[in-house]
């Protein structure tokens, strides 16, 4: 009898490992309460009415895209996960789906090694950031909310100001969008400042997804990346001549 139970457990473990969690998320940035950008104050040359109107239109179009949101997908299988905008290509005659990596933000997580790799780009320059998983020191409350078909609990991070997550133990996998994880269940919704990330579809697939760790880009630390980002994206306070008008916009 004990032997039969052991065999059954092995079969169940094998079946679980042969399944893939796929979660589609929608990321939105709410700029309704954000201060409006005064185009006339952008560092650089004095703009003609035509150029000022063009820049203002660019800002409005970007804000509209951010408010409408962009879809991302999380795949989790066999102790690995990857979060990104994806193009899925079916492999003929095989129960494997291959993910084609893009050059935008990609978050790869190795559950066993407790490592996260973030491949990201700034102005066409690609960087690779490898770092240890971060503890968000979640405080779980008794507050619940139905999100989609899932009953979720609220958790607030004590280590990152303004970070709030809603998770469900109906999907008992400790994972979530981007680099966020660490709760006893799937993170279904997450808010941080003006950013909201919410699951719009959750599936358990029988086929295996081939997850590849990102390898493209210059290896830098998170601190060095932040320095490079600030240098490239900040307005040029020291340049008052006519060389290059820099517009700082939020993009997800």
């Amino acid at each position: 009898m004990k032997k039969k139970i052991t065999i059954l457990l092995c079969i169940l473990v094998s079946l679980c490992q042969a399944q893939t969690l796929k979660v589609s998320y929608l990321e939105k940035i709410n700029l309704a309460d954000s201060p409006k950008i005064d185009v006339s104050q952008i560092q650089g040359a004095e703009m003609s009415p035509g150029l000022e109107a063009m820049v203002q239109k660019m800002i409005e179009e970007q804000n509209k895209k951010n408010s409408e949101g962009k879809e991302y997908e999380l795949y989790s299988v066999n102790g690995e996960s990857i979060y990104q905008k994806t193009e899925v290509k079916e492999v003929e005659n095989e129960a494997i789906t291959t993910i084609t990596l893009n050059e935008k933000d990609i978050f790869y997580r190795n559950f066993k090694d407790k490592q996260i790799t973030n491949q990201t780009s700034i102005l066409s320059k690609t960087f690779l950031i490898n770092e240890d998983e971060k503890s968000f020191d979640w405080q779980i409350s008794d507050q619940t909310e139905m999100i989609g078909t899932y009953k979720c609990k609220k958790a607030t991070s004590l280590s990152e100001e303004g970070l709030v997550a809603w998770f469900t133990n109906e999907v008992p996998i400790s994972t979530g969008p981007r680099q966020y994880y660490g709760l006893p269940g799937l993170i279904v919704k997450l808010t941080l400042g003006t950013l909201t990330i919410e699951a719009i579809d959750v599936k358990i697939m029988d086929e295996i997804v081939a997850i590849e760790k990102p390898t493209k880009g210059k290896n830098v630390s998170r601190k060095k990346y932040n320095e490079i980002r600030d240098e490239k994206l900040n307005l040029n306070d020291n340049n008052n001549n006519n060389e290059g008008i820099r517009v700082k916009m939020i993009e997800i």
Side-chain angles (χ1 to χ4, degrees), residues 29-233:
I29 292 180
N30 180 15
L31 299 177
D33 300 325
S34 300
K36 302 297 182 183
I37 297 176
D38 185 354
V39 177
S40 65
Q41 298 301 313
I42 293 176
Q43 185 69 39
E46 292 185 7
M47 285 185 272
S48 65
L51 180 57
E52 184 173 328
M54 183 181 72
V55 173
Q56 185 64 55
K57 185 177 180 181
M58 288 170 56
I59 294 171
E60 289 173 357
E61 287 178 353
Q62 186 60 57
N63 288 347
K64 183 181 178 182
K65 288 180 181 178
N66 288 338
S67 63
E68 290 174 349
K70 295 183 181 180
E71 288 190 26
Y72 287 76
E73 288 178 343
L74 169 71
Y75 289 87
S76 181
V77 61
N78 290 342
E80 293 179 292
S81 70
I82 196 161
Y83 179 81
Q84 62 172 60
K85 288 192 293 185
T86 61
E87 295 177 7
V88 178
K89 181 181 179 182
E90 298 292 340
V91 179
E92 190 175 355
N93 298 324
E94 292 185 28
I96 296 178
T97 300
T98 301
I99 294 177
T100 303
L101 300 181
N102 60 24
E103 293 185 14
K104 202 62 180 172
D105 252 3
I106 300 167
F107 291 90
Y108 165 86
R109 178 179 167 216
N110 188 306
F111 293 58
K112 299 171 186 175
D113 296 340
K114 297 185 177 180
Q115 290 281 314
I116 290 178
T117 298
N118 178 202
Q119 179 177 298
T120 187
S121 300
I122 305 174
L123 302 178
S124 300
K125 180 74 174 179
T126 304
F127 298 93
L128 206 60
I129 305 164
N130 292 289
E131 54 192 345
D132 294 334
E133 287 183 345
K134 179 181 176 182
S135 173
F136 294 100
D137 196 11
W138 297 108
Q139 183 178 60
I140 300 174
S141 74
D142 293 329
Q143 187 175 345
T144 61
E145 181 177 313
M146 290 298 297
I147 301 177
T149 59
Y150 294 100
K151 184 178 181 180
C152 300
K153 273 192 170 184
K154 182 180 180 181
T156 304
S157 172
L158 300 178
S159 59
E160 188 162 342
E161 187 178 357
L163 178 59
V164 177
W166 294 84
F167 71 95
T168 178
N169 53 23
E170 293 174 29
V171 184
I173 300 177
S174 180
T175 191
R178 298 197 181 193
Q179 72 271 37
Y180 301 107
Y181 77 105
L183 289 162
L186 174 69
I187 295 176
V188 178
K189 184 177 179 180
L190 183 142
T191 59
L192 179 61
T194 59
L195 174 66
T196 298
I197 307 175
E198 186 169 347
I200 54 177
D201 189 48
V202 180
K203 291 179 181 177
I204 302 294
M205 307 189 303
D206 289 332
E207 63 264 34
I208 296 294
V209 168
I211 294 177
E212 297 179 6
K213 180 179 179 179
T215 57
K216 183 176 180 179
K218 180 181 179 181
N219 282 285
V220 294
S221 66
R222 176 65 65 181
K223 181 180 179 182
K224 181 63 177 177
Y225 167 78
N226 289 341
E227 291 173 356
I228 295 170
R229 177 200 61 196
D230 292 346
E231 181 183 349
K232 286 182 175 291
L233 298 184

